[in-house]
Amino acid sequence: MSQAREILRVEGLGKRFPGVVALDGVDFDLREGEVHVLLGENGAGKSTLIKMLSGAYQPDSGRILADGEPVAVRTAADAQRLGIATIYQEFNLVPQLTVGENLALGRPPRRFGFVDTRRMHEQARGLLDQVGIDVDPRTRVADLGIAQMQMVEIAKALALNARVLIMDEPTAVLTTSEVRRLFGLVGQLRERGVAVVFITHHLEEIAQIGDRVTVLRDGRSVAQVPAGTPEEELIRLMVGRPIDQQYPRQVATAGEPLLQVRDLSRAGAFSGVSFEVRAGEVVGLAGLVGAGRTEVARAVFGADAYDSGEVLVRGRRLPGGDVRAAMEAGLGLVPEDRKGQGLVLGADIAENLGLVTLRGATRGGFVDRAGQRQAAARVAAQLGVRMSHLGQEVRTLSGGNQQKIVIGKWLLADAHVLILDEPTRGIDVGAKVEIYQLINSLTASGHAVLMISSDLPEILGMSDRILVMARGRLVGELEAAEANQDSVMALAVTEVEDARVH
């Protein structure tokens, strides 16, 4: 890599927002045909940096150089002209349009003044073949899966002849096999000379895919190291201190069952699901994407109806499809999509923390705003939310702090049973440990936690018992002390008709 040509460099890049220094003199360089991992905690400045490279933000200080020459990247069109393409966590696709239309957006082939649909689809087919995805170009993007959407985004970058591809958390929602496929494609791009900026919170991926790593901390570039650097050292560089345990589970004594699910079924989603979660216990719910885990969680919480079975909280049977009844019984849900379902992004921190308790804080049609803010301040301090003030909009917080707010509203409501659906997705290792310590404090105080996660080390490290789902059925139960990744995965891929509960 040392002889590879440098194609992009940033020097002393700085960016300020009201009350926040997002970047403070960041240096970064990118070479032809390398995968350069950008690593750092949420709020370290990674998103700000890539938004400046893609034209969404302009720097307040420093400069960007392409092929050794200073350049101004004021718009997305400027970035495109420089050969820089960015794939964000929230895909930049138009769901209502077809795959072919998305790939040709803004520059469709024309014939006699009209869009040449046949040629557009032929070009799209060629791009899709390059990324190895078998999708009809006439398919609406809204009908694609997440992994397919990601491949379409990469195909868009190829259509733009991108020399630099920035990938923001590309593996966050992919299965293991989809990750392998993505890494294979990244390898092909590297061989063509495309330079890739790869952002991930999955430390185990870095050595597999990367060449070099630049670590950001508190808006500064603090180190550049080889991709083979041990994980413990990467963590120390990221958070400024060593983390003794990535999964600091403190086992509490299990008490009475707080959540009981009996023979729950919904046609086409899940069937015959039965389990219980006791006071002081973390029960992990594992399985491949599409196994039915989230569907079960939403049905238990009352967000979706179910056809048969029953849900009991502290021995009280809940009516199906009734979220208010579930909340009043002491059940809380931290959804997988925290931005779309767990937060009001335009509201401030205090308002979001008070969402669940707002009804109880209303007397005679008036909300006790002072009381709500006092309670919000107490919970925000308890959770260590990094913020400028309670009136700060939630959309401006890092992912880890947003997740603390989603959990915090249930703490404020004193939920006895908390369902956590992918609680640390898109969160850095330091914030993960803080979430895990919060889980420990919940179970130590007699609460119960049902944790859904696609991160097997997390399930193994933070669960007392592990339930495994496959094809809408509960196919196994393992004691965490006896479980390993192989035993969980063996159950996760079990054919349902052969399933046995251990």
Side-chain angles (χ1 to χ4, degrees), residues 93-106 137-144 152:
L93 299 170
V94 183
Q96 295 78 19
L97 298 182
T98 68
V99 170
E101 289 165 340
N102 270 276
L103 292 176
L105 201 60
R138 294 168 293 186
T139 304
R140 282 196 326 148
V141 163
D143 297 327
L144 299 180
V152 171

mmCIF file with all atom_site columns, all heavy atoms in Angstrom, residues 93-106 137-144 152:
data_model
loop_
_atom_site.group_PDB
_atom_site.id
_atom_site.type_symbol
_atom_site.label_atom_id
_atom_site.label_alt_id
_atom_site.label_comp_id
_atom_site.label_asym_id
_atom_site.label_entity_id
_atom_site.label_seq_id
_atom_site.pdbx_PDB_ins_code
_atom_site.Cartn_x
_atom_site.Cartn_y
_atom_site.Cartn_z
_atom_site.occupancy
_atom_site.B_iso_or_equiv
_atom_site.pdbx_formal_charge
_atom_site.auth_seq_id
_atom_site.auth_comp_id
_atom_site.auth_asym_id
_atom_site.auth_atom_id
_atom_site.pdbx_PDB_model_num
ATOM 1   N N   . LEU A 1 93  ? -32.062 6.464  -1.988  1.00 0.00 ? 93  LEU A N   1
ATOM 2   C CA  . LEU A 1 93  ? -32.825 5.913  -3.110  1.00 0.00 ? 93  LEU A CA  1
ATOM 3   C C   . LEU A 1 93  ? -34.255 6.419  -3.039  1.00 0.00 ? 93  LEU A C   1
ATOM 4   O O   . LEU A 1 93  ? -34.745 6.747  -1.961  1.00 0.00 ? 93  LEU A O   1
ATOM 5   C CB  . LEU A 1 93  ? -32.817 4.377  -3.063  1.00 0.00 ? 93  LEU A CB  1
ATOM 6   C CG  . LEU A 1 93  ? -31.457 3.686  -3.154  1.00 0.00 ? 93  LEU A CG  1
ATOM 7   C CD1 . LEU A 1 93  ? -31.589 2.199  -2.860  1.00 0.00 ? 93  LEU A CD1 1
ATOM 8   C CD2 . LEU A 1 93  ? -30.838 3.900  -4.530  1.00 0.00 ? 93  LEU A CD2 1
ATOM 9   N N   . VAL A 1 94  ? -34.921 6.464  -4.182  1.00 0.00 ? 94  VAL A N   1
ATOM 10  C CA  . VAL A 1 94  ? -36.327 6.879  -4.230  1.00 0.00 ? 94  VAL A CA  1
ATOM 11  C C   . VAL A 1 94  ? -37.183 5.619  -4.244  1.00 0.00 ? 94  VAL A C   1
ATOM 12  O O   . VAL A 1 94  ? -37.222 4.900  -5.258  1.00 0.00 ? 94  VAL A O   1
ATOM 13  C CB  . VAL A 1 94  ? -36.618 7.736  -5.474  1.00 0.00 ? 94  VAL A CB  1
ATOM 14  C CG1 . VAL A 1 94  ? -38.075 8.203  -5.458  1.00 0.00 ? 94  VAL A CG1 1
ATOM 15  C CG2 . VAL A 1 94  ? -35.672 8.935  -5.532  1.00 0.00 ? 94  VAL A CG2 1
ATOM 16  N N   . PRO A 1 95  ? -37.862 5.299  -3.141  1.00 0.00 ? 95  PRO A N   1
ATOM 17  C CA  . PRO A 1 95  ? -38.565 4.004  -3.029  1.00 0.00 ? 95  PRO A CA  1
ATOM 18  C C   . PRO A 1 95  ? -39.622 3.783  -4.094  1.00 0.00 ? 95  PRO A C   1
ATOM 19  O O   . PRO A 1 95  ? -39.851 2.651  -4.519  1.00 0.00 ? 95  PRO A O   1
ATOM 20  C CB  . PRO A 1 95  ? -39.205 4.069  -1.631  1.00 0.00 ? 95  PRO A CB  1
ATOM 21  C CG  . PRO A 1 95  ? -38.425 5.101  -0.887  1.00 0.00 ? 95  PRO A CG  1
ATOM 22  C CD  . PRO A 1 95  ? -37.987 6.094  -1.908  1.00 0.00 ? 95  PRO A CD  1
ATOM 23  N N   . GLN A 1 96  ? -40.283 4.864  -4.541  1.00 0.00 ? 96  GLN A N   1
ATOM 24  C CA  . GLN A 1 96  ? -41.400 4.717  -5.491  1.00 0.00 ? 96  GLN A CA  1
ATOM 25  C C   . GLN A 1 96  ? -40.922 4.453  -6.923  1.00 0.00 ? 96  GLN A C   1
ATOM 26  O O   . GLN A 1 96  ? -41.701 4.026  -7.763  1.00 0.00 ? 96  GLN A O   1
ATOM 27  C CB  . GLN A 1 96  ? -42.284 5.972  -5.484  1.00 0.00 ? 96  GLN A CB  1
ATOM 28  C CG  . GLN A 1 96  ? -43.006 6.219  -4.163  1.00 0.00 ? 96  GLN A CG  1
ATOM 29  C CD  . GLN A 1 96  ? -42.111 6.820  -3.107  1.00 0.00 ? 96  GLN A CD  1
ATOM 30  O OE1 . GLN A 1 96  ? -41.052 7.378  -3.409  1.00 0.00 ? 96  GLN A OE1 1
ATOM 31  N NE2 . GLN A 1 96  ? -42.509 6.713  -1.840  1.00 0.00 ? 96  GLN A NE2 1
ATOM 32  N N   . LEU A 1 97  ? -39.654 4.718  -7.187  1.00 0.00 ? 97  LEU A N   1
ATOM 33  C CA  . LEU A 1 97  ? -39.125 4.500  -8.534  1.00 0.00 ? 97  LEU A CA  1
ATOM 34  C C   . LEU A 1 97  ? -38.537 3.094  -8.658  1.00 0.00 ? 97  LEU A C   1
ATOM 35  O O   . LEU A 1 97  ? -38.243 2.435  -7.667  1.00 0.00 ? 97  LEU A O   1
ATOM 36  C CB  . LEU A 1 97  ? -38.043 5.533  -8.855  1.00 0.00 ? 97  LEU A CB  1
ATOM 37  C CG  . LEU A 1 97  ? -38.468 7.004  -8.861  1.00 0.00 ? 97  LEU A CG  1
ATOM 38  C CD1 . LEU A 1 97  ? -37.296 7.899  -9.254  1.00 0.00 ? 97  LEU A CD1 1
ATOM 39  C CD2 . LEU A 1 97  ? -39.649 7.228  -9.803  1.00 0.00 ? 97  LEU A CD2 1
ATOM 40  N N   . THR A 1 98  ? -38.355 2.657  -9.884  1.00 0.00 ? 98  THR A N   1
ATOM 41  C CA  . THR A 1 98  ? -37.764 1.342  -10.122 1.00 0.00 ? 98  THR A CA  1
ATOM 42  C C   . THR A 1 98  ? -36.255 1.391  -9.893  1.00 0.00 ? 98  THR A C   1
ATOM 43  O O   . THR A 1 98  ? -35.654 2.466  -9.786  1.00 0.00 ? 98  THR A O   1
ATOM 44  C CB  . THR A 1 98  ? -38.037 0.870  -11.557 1.00 0.00 ? 98  THR A CB  1
ATOM 45  O OG1 . THR A 1 98  ? -37.312 1.722  -12.465 1.00 0.00 ? 98  THR A OG1 1
ATOM 46  C CG2 . THR A 1 98  ? -39.517 0.911  -11.890 1.00 0.00 ? 98  THR A CG2 1
ATOM 47  N N   . VAL A 1 99  ? -35.662 0.221  -9.857  1.00 0.00 ? 99  VAL A N   1
ATOM 48  C CA  . VAL A 1 99  ? -34.204 0.131  -9.719  1.00 0.00 ? 99  VAL A CA  1
ATOM 49  C C   . VAL A 1 99  ? -33.534 0.840  -10.889 1.00 0.00 ? 99  VAL A C   1
ATOM 50  O O   . VAL A 1 99  ? -32.600 1.630  -10.708 1.00 0.00 ? 99  VAL A O   1
ATOM 51  C CB  . VAL A 1 99  ? -33.765 -1.343 -9.651  1.00 0.00 ? 99  VAL A CB  1
ATOM 52  C CG1 . VAL A 1 99  ? -32.250 -1.463 -9.764  1.00 0.00 ? 99  VAL A CG1 1
ATOM 53  C CG2 . VAL A 1 99  ? -34.275 -1.982 -8.367  1.00 0.00 ? 99  VAL A CG2 1
ATOM 54  N N   . GLY A 1 100 ? -34.006 0.568  -12.106 1.00 0.00 ? 100 GLY A N   1
ATOM 55  C CA  . GLY A 1 100 ? -33.426 1.205  -13.288 1.00 0.00 ? 100 GLY A CA  1
ATOM 56  C C   . GLY A 1 100 ? -33.540 2.717  -13.241 1.00 0.00 ? 100 GLY A C   1
ATOM 57  O O   . GLY A 1 100 ? -32.593 3.432  -13.596 1.00 0.00 ? 100 GLY A O   1
ATOM 58  N N   . GLU A 1 101 ? -34.693 3.219  -12.811 1.00 0.00 ? 101 GLU A N   1
ATOM 59  C CA  . GLU A 1 101 ? -34.881 4.670  -12.725 1.00 0.00 ? 101 GLU A CA  1
ATOM 60  C C   . GLU A 1 101 ? -33.964 5.291  -11.685 1.00 0.00 ? 101 GLU A C   1
ATOM 61  O O   . GLU A 1 101 ? -33.440 6.389  -11.875 1.00 0.00 ? 101 GLU A O   1
ATOM 62  C CB  . GLU A 1 101 ? -36.342 4.978  -12.413 1.00 0.00 ? 101 GLU A CB  1
ATOM 63  C CG  . GLU A 1 101 ? -37.283 4.690  -13.568 1.00 0.00 ? 101 GLU A CG  1
ATOM 64  C CD  . GLU A 1 101 ? -38.754 4.659  -13.149 1.00 0.00 ? 101 GLU A CD  1
ATOM 65  O OE1 . GLU A 1 101 ? -39.031 4.479  -11.938 1.00 0.00 ? 101 GLU A OE1 1
ATOM 66  O OE2 . GLU A 1 101 ? -39.618 4.806  -14.037 1.00 0.00 ? 101 GLU A OE2 1
ATOM 67  N N   . ASN A 1 102 ? -33.751 4.588  -10.573 1.00 0.00 ? 102 ASN A N   1
ATOM 68  C CA  . ASN A 1 102 ? -32.834 5.087  -9.549  1.00 0.00 ? 102 ASN A CA  1
ATOM 69  C C   . ASN A 1 102 ? -31.400 5.127  -10.065 1.00 0.00 ? 102 ASN A C   1
ATOM 70  O O   . ASN A 1 102 ? -30.671 6.084  -9.792  1.00 0.00 ? 102 ASN A O   1
ATOM 71  C CB  . ASN A 1 102 ? -32.910 4.223  -8.294  1.00 0.00 ? 102 ASN A CB  1
ATOM 72  C CG  . ASN A 1 102 ? -33.943 4.709  -7.297  1.00 0.00 ? 102 ASN A CG  1
ATOM 73  O OD1 . ASN A 1 102 ? -33.678 5.596  -6.484  1.00 0.00 ? 102 ASN A OD1 1
ATOM 74  N ND2 . ASN A 1 102 ? -35.147 4.150  -7.385  1.00 0.00 ? 102 ASN A ND2 1
ATOM 75  N N   . LEU A 1 103 ? -30.999 4.100  -10.791 1.00 0.00 ? 103 LEU A N   1
ATOM 76  C CA  . LEU A 1 103 ? -29.636 4.055  -11.306 1.00 0.00 ? 103 LEU A CA  1
ATOM 77  C C   . LEU A 1 103 ? -29.379 5.121  -12.366 1.00 0.00 ? 103 LEU A C   1
ATOM 78  O O   . LEU A 1 103 ? -28.241 5.555  -12.553 1.00 0.00 ? 103 LEU A O   1
ATOM 79  C CB  . LEU A 1 103 ? -29.328 2.671  -11.876 1.00 0.00 ? 103 LEU A CB  1
ATOM 80  C CG  . LEU A 1 103 ? -29.256 1.529  -10.857 1.00 0.00 ? 103 LEU A CG  1
ATOM 81  C CD1 . LEU A 1 103 ? -29.034 0.193  -11.545 1.00 0.00 ? 103 LEU A CD1 1
ATOM 82  C CD2 . LEU A 1 103 ? -28.140 1.786  -9.850  1.00 0.00 ? 103 LEU A CD2 1
ATOM 83  N N   . ALA A 1 104 ? -30.430 5.570  -13.050 1.00 0.00 ? 104 ALA A N   1
ATOM 84  C CA  . ALA A 1 104 ? -30.282 6.579  -14.097 1.00 0.00 ? 104 ALA A CA  1
ATOM 85  C C   . ALA A 1 104 ? -30.757 7.960  -13.656 1.00 0.00 ? 104 ALA A C   1
ATOM 86  O O   . ALA A 1 104 ? -30.841 8.874  -14.473 1.00 0.00 ? 104 ALA A O   1
ATOM 87  C CB  . ALA A 1 104 ? -31.072 6.143  -15.337 1.00 0.00 ? 104 ALA A CB  1
ATOM 88  N N   . LEU A 1 105 ? -31.056 8.103  -12.381 1.00 0.00 ? 105 LEU A N   1
ATOM 89  C CA  . LEU A 1 105 ? -31.667 9.339  -11.874 1.00 0.00 ? 105 LEU A CA  1
ATOM 90  C C   . LEU A 1 105 ? -30.796 10.559 -12.198 1.00 0.00 ? 105 LEU A C   1
ATOM 91  O O   . LEU A 1 105 ? -29.606 10.595 -11.888 1.00 0.00 ? 105 LEU A O   1
ATOM 92  C CB  . LEU A 1 105 ? -31.852 9.231  -10.363 1.00 0.00 ? 105 LEU A CB  1
ATOM 93  C CG  . LEU A 1 105 ? -32.900 10.155 -9.727  1.00 0.00 ? 105 LEU A CG  1
ATOM 94  C CD1 . LEU A 1 105 ? -34.281 9.892  -10.309 1.00 0.00 ? 105 LEU A CD1 1
ATOM 95  C CD2 . LEU A 1 105 ? -32.922 9.949  -8.217  1.00 0.00 ? 105 LEU A CD2 1
ATOM 96  N N   . GLY A 1 106 ? -31.433 11.528 -12.859 1.00 0.00 ? 106 GLY A N   1
ATOM 97  C CA  . GLY A 1 106 ? -30.742 12.771 -13.201 1.00 0.00 ? 106 GLY A CA  1
ATOM 98  C C   . GLY A 1 106 ? -29.998 12.724 -14.514 1.00 0.00 ? 106 GLY A C   1
ATOM 99  O O   . GLY A 1 106 ? -29.562 13.761 -15.024 1.00 0.00 ? 106 GLY A O   1
ATOM 100 N N   . PRO A 1 137 ? -34.486 -4.804 -13.255 1.00 0.00 ? 137 PRO A N   1
ATOM 101 C CA  . PRO A 1 137 ? -34.403 -3.342 -13.170 1.00 0.00 ? 137 PRO A CA  1
ATOM 102 C C   . PRO A 1 137 ? -35.765 -2.660 -13.080 1.00 0.00 ? 137 PRO A C   1
ATOM 103 O O   . PRO A 1 137 ? -35.854 -1.493 -12.668 1.00 0.00 ? 137 PRO A O   1
ATOM 104 C CB  . PRO A 1 137 ? -33.685 -2.947 -14.468 1.00 0.00 ? 137 PRO A CB  1
ATOM 105 C CG  . PRO A 1 137 ? -32.927 -4.170 -14.871 1.00 0.00 ? 137 PRO A CG  1
ATOM 106 C CD  . PRO A 1 137 ? -33.778 -5.331 -14.435 1.00 0.00 ? 137 PRO A CD  1
ATOM 107 N N   . ARG A 1 138 ? -36.822 -3.374 -13.441 1.00 0.00 ? 138 ARG A N   1
ATOM 108 C CA  . ARG A 1 138 ? -38.169 -2.780 -13.371 1.00 0.00 ? 138 ARG A CA  1
ATOM 109 C C   . ARG A 1 138 ? -38.802 -2.913 -11.991 1.00 0.00 ? 138 ARG A C   1
ATOM 110 O O   . ARG A 1 138 ? -39.911 -2.432 -11.756 1.00 0.00 ? 138 ARG A O   1
ATOM 111 C CB  . ARG A 1 138 ? -39.069 -3.446 -14.425 1.00 0.00 ? 138 ARG A CB  1
ATOM 112 C CG  . ARG A 1 138 ? -38.637 -3.155 -15.860 1.00 0.00 ? 138 ARG A CG  1
ATOM 113 C CD  . ARG A 1 138 ? -39.345 -4.054 -16.857 1.00 0.00 ? 138 ARG A CD  1
ATOM 114 N NE  . ARG A 1 138 ? -38.930 -5.461 -16.687 1.00 0.00 ? 138 ARG A NE  1
ATOM 115 C CZ  . ARG A 1 138 ? -39.300 -6.441 -17.495 1.00 0.00 ? 138 ARG A CZ  1
ATOM 116 N NH1 . ARG A 1 138 ? -40.089 -6.172 -18.524 1.00 0.00 ? 138 ARG A NH1 1
ATOM 117 N NH2 . ARG A 1 138 ? -38.894 -7.667 -17.285 1.00 0.00 ? 138 ARG A NH2 1
ATOM 118 N N   . THR A 1 139 ? -38.100 -3.561 -11.051 1.00 0.00 ? 139 THR A N   1
ATOM 119 C CA  . THR A 1 139 ? -38.606 -3.729 -9.679  1.00 0.00 ? 139 THR A CA  1
ATOM 120 C C   . THR A 1 139 ? -38.555 -2.402 -8.931  1.00 0.00 ? 139 THR A C   1
ATOM 121 O O   . THR A 1 139 ? -37.562 -1.672 -9.011  1.00 0.00 ? 139 THR A O   1
ATOM 122 C CB  . THR A 1 139 ? -37.755 -4.760 -8.920  1.00 0.00 ? 139 THR A CB  1
ATOM 123 O OG1 . THR A 1 139 ? -37.742 -5.981 -9.655  1.00 0.00 ? 139 THR A OG1 1
ATOM 124 C CG2 . THR A 1 139 ? -38.309 -4.991 -7.518  1.00 0.00 ? 139 THR A CG2 1
ATOM 125 N N   . ARG A 1 140 ? -39.626 -2.098 -8.222  1.00 0.00 ? 140 ARG A N   1
ATOM 126 C CA  . ARG A 1 140 ? -39.612 -0.901 -7.379  1.00 0.00 ? 140 ARG A CA  1
ATOM 127 C C   . ARG A 1 140 ? -38.628 -1.074 -6.231  1.00 0.00 ? 140 ARG A C   1
ATOM 128 O O   . ARG A 1 140 ? -38.552 -2.145 -5.626  1.00 0.00 ? 140 ARG A O   1
ATOM 129 C CB  . ARG A 1 140 ? -40.998 -0.617 -6.797  1.00 0.00 ? 140 ARG A CB  1
ATOM 130 C CG  . ARG A 1 140 ? -41.991 0.014  -7.732  1.00 0.00 ? 140 ARG A CG  1
ATOM 131 C CD  . ARG A 1 140 ? -43.160 0.604  -6.966  1.00 0.00 ? 140 ARG A CD  1
ATOM 132 N NE  . ARG A 1 140 ? -43.512 -0.179 -5.772  1.00 0.00 ? 140 ARG A NE  1
ATOM 133 C CZ  . ARG A 1 140 ? -44.005 0.357  -4.656  1.00 0.00 ? 140 ARG A CZ  1
ATOM 134 N NH1 . ARG A 1 140 ? -44.181 1.669  -4.567  1.00 0.00 ? 140 ARG A NH1 1
ATOM 135 N NH2 . ARG A 1 140 ? -44.321 -0.402 -3.621  1.00 0.00 ? 140 ARG A NH2 1
ATOM 136 N N   . VAL A 1 141 ? -37.892 -0.030 -5.906  1.00 0.00 ? 141 VAL A N   1
ATOM 137 C CA  . VAL A 1 141 ? -36.929 -0.096 -4.806  1.00 0.00 ? 141 VAL A CA  1
ATOM 138 C C   . VAL A 1 141 ? -37.630 -0.435 -3.494  1.00 0.00 ? 141 VAL A C   1
ATOM 139 O O   . VAL A 1 141 ? -37.082 -1.139 -2.647  1.00 0.00 ? 141 VAL A O   1
ATOM 140 C CB  . VAL A 1 141 ? -36.158 1.239  -4.701  1.00 0.00 ? 141 VAL A CB  1
ATOM 141 C CG1 . VAL A 1 141 ? -35.463 1.369  -3.351  1.00 0.00 ? 141 VAL A CG1 1
ATOM 142 C CG2 . VAL A 1 141 ? -35.135 1.342  -5.829  1.00 0.00 ? 141 VAL A CG2 1
ATOM 143 N N   . ALA A 1 142 ? -38.860 0.044  -3.327  1.00 0.00 ? 142 ALA A N   1
ATOM 144 C CA  . ALA A 1 142 ? -39.608 -0.220 -2.093  1.00 0.00 ? 142 ALA A CA  1
ATOM 145 C C   . ALA A 1 142 ? -39.831 -1.707 -1.861  1.00 0.00 ? 142 ALA A C   1
ATOM 146 O O   . ALA A 1 142 ? -40.072 -2.129 -0.721  1.00 0.00 ? 142 ALA A O   1
ATOM 147 C CB  . ALA A 1 142 ? -40.951 0.505  -2.124  1.00 0.00 ? 142 ALA A CB  1
ATOM 148 N N   . ASP A 1 143 ? -39.739 -2.510 -2.916  1.00 0.00 ? 143 ASP A N   1
ATOM 149 C CA  . ASP A 1 143 ? -39.977 -3.951 -2.795  1.00 0.00 ? 143 ASP A CA  1
ATOM 150 C C   . ASP A 1 143 ? -38.695 -4.749 -2.575  1.00 0.00 ? 143 ASP A C   1
ATOM 151 O O   . ASP A 1 143 ? -38.732 -5.979 -2.521  1.00 0.00 ? 143 ASP A O   1
ATOM 152 C CB  . ASP A 1 143 ? -40.685 -4.467 -4.058  1.00 0.00 ? 143 ASP A CB  1
ATOM 153 C CG  . ASP A 1 143 ? -42.058 -3.834 -4.253  1.00 0.00 ? 143 ASP A CG  1
ATOM 154 O OD1 . ASP A 1 143 ? -42.711 -3.550 -3.227  1.00 0.00 ? 143 ASP A OD1 1
ATOM 155 O OD2 . ASP A 1 143 ? -42.464 -3.614 -5.403  1.00 0.00 ? 143 ASP A OD2 1
ATOM 156 N N   . LEU A 1 144 ? -37.562 -4.065 -2.431  1.00 0.00 ? 144 LEU A N   1
ATOM 157 C CA  . LEU A 1 144 ? -36.283 -4.742 -2.225  1.00 0.00 ? 144 LEU A CA  1
ATOM 158 C C   . LEU A 1 144 ? -35.998 -4.936 -0.745  1.00 0.00 ? 144 LEU A C   1
ATOM 159 O O   . LEU A 1 144 ? -36.513 -4.213 0.106   1.00 0.00 ? 144 LEU A O   1
ATOM 160 C CB  . LEU A 1 144 ? -35.141 -3.922 -2.839  1.00 0.00 ? 144 LEU A CB  1
ATOM 161 C CG  . LEU A 1 144 ? -35.162 -3.655 -4.338  1.00 0.00 ? 144 LEU A CG  1
ATOM 162 C CD1 . LEU A 1 144 ? -33.952 -2.824 -4.735  1.00 0.00 ? 144 LEU A CD1 1
ATOM 163 C CD2 . LEU A 1 144 ? -35.197 -4.957 -5.132  1.00 0.00 ? 144 LEU A CD2 1
ATOM 164 N N   . VAL A 1 152 ? -27.725 -1.895 -4.799  1.00 0.00 ? 152 VAL A N   1
ATOM 165 C CA  . VAL A 1 152 ? -28.168 -0.902 -5.783  1.00 0.00 ? 152 VAL A CA  1
ATOM 166 C C   . VAL A 1 152 ? -27.417 0.412  -5.567  1.00 0.00 ? 152 VAL A C   1
ATOM 167 O O   . VAL A 1 152 ? -27.014 1.080  -6.520  1.00 0.00 ? 152 VAL A O   1
ATOM 168 C CB  . VAL A 1 152 ? -29.695 -0.685 -5.703  1.00 0.00 ? 152 VAL A CB  1
ATOM 169 C CG1 . VAL A 1 152 ? -30.120 0.496  -6.571  1.00 0.00 ? 152 VAL A CG1 1
ATOM 170 C CG2 . VAL A 1 152 ? -30.427 -1.949 -6.146  1.00 0.00 ? 152 VAL A CG2 1
#
